[in-house]
Amino acid sequence: MDVLYPILGLGALVFLGSLAWETFARRRAPTASTGGLPSGMTFAPKPLLTDQEVQLYNLLRLAVEDRYLLFTQIPLWSLLDLRVPSGMPPVETLRELALTRATFVLVHPGSRLVEKVVQVEEPASDSESAAMHPLFDSALRAAGVHIVRLSPFHAYTVPGLVTVLDLADPD
């Protein structure tokens, strides 16, 4: 019996110590990891569009009028519904979709589906352009979305954009 009391006391002490450890460790961990920025790291807002893209955005807004909703800088993964056969991991495809953005997107207001994507990029030959963005082009074409490429160096007008985007009313 003389040995039993010290063993029970030691067991109770270990139990209370582990209970205290769990209680205090759990209280401290969430406060240390909830949203704090590492020291020295700062964030600052940056413009979403360049000056040329803002001008083009305003012209596009006038060109599409009430026919389309106009959005800018939309990642490709939010425009398309990716359906993959079972057993085929889409990791690389998803990674490329997440990193690729459409400069301007024209969305039909009734169906809420993307009908046209307007990319602002430097002029290149068709083969060179297809080589630069193979997934972008093929994914949009497979989904039935029209792609229109505009040069950032060209001075566009509203009637010119209506023609380029094929938005003229059939009379």
Side-chain angles (χ1 to χ4, degrees):
M1 272 298 201
D2 291 334
V3 178
L4 184 62
Y5 290 123
I7 292 176
L8 285 176
L10 185 61
L13 188 60
V14 169
F15 174 75
L16 290 174
S18 65
L19 185 63
W21 178 264
E22 286 294 317
T23 303
F24 292 119
R26 288 187 187 204
R27 279 190 193 156
R28 249 183 288 133
T31 57
S33 66
T34 55
L37 292 176
S39 63
M41 184 181 289
T42 60
F43 290 95
K46 69 177 186 176
L48 185 63
L49 301 170
T50 65
D51 291 338
Q52 296 159 332
E53 289 172 336
V54 169
Q55 291 173 355
L56 188 55
Y57 175 84
N58 290 326
L59 290 173
L60 279 169
R61 211 176 63 202
L62 293 172
V64 300
E65 296 182 57
D66 297 331
R67 293 179 223 180
Y68 292 105
L69 302 172
L70 179 62
F71 298 98
T72 185
Q73 299 298 331
I74 306 296
L76 190 58
W77 64 264
S78 65
L79 302 177
L80 305 172
D81 185 17
L82 179 63
R83 297 180 183 153
V84 182
S86 62
M88 183 178 181
V91 174
E92 289 301 318
T93 303
L94 288 174
R95 185 173 295 132
E96 190 169 341
L97 288 176
L99 296 175
T100 307
R101 293 181 174 269
T103 310
F104 299 108
V105 178
L106 303 179
V107 177
H108 188 276
S111 67
R112 301 175 322 274
L113 295 175
V114 176
E115 290 194 6
K116 297 180 191 268
V117 167
V118 179
Q119 280 299 98
V120 177
E121 53 190 34
E122 293 188 26
S125 67
D126 289 338
S127 61
E128 197 176 308
S129 175
M132 287 173 41
H133 308 290
L135 179 63
F136 185 84
D137 291 353
S138 59
L140 288 173
R141 284 194 183 104
V145 176
H146 294 72
I147 305 166
V148 177
R149 285 188 166 55
L150 301 178
S151 170
F153 308 115
H154 188 273
Y156 292 98
T157 62
V158 173
L161 285 173
V162 168
T163 303
V164 169
L165 295 173
D166 194 25
L167 299 175
D169 289 327
D171 292 329

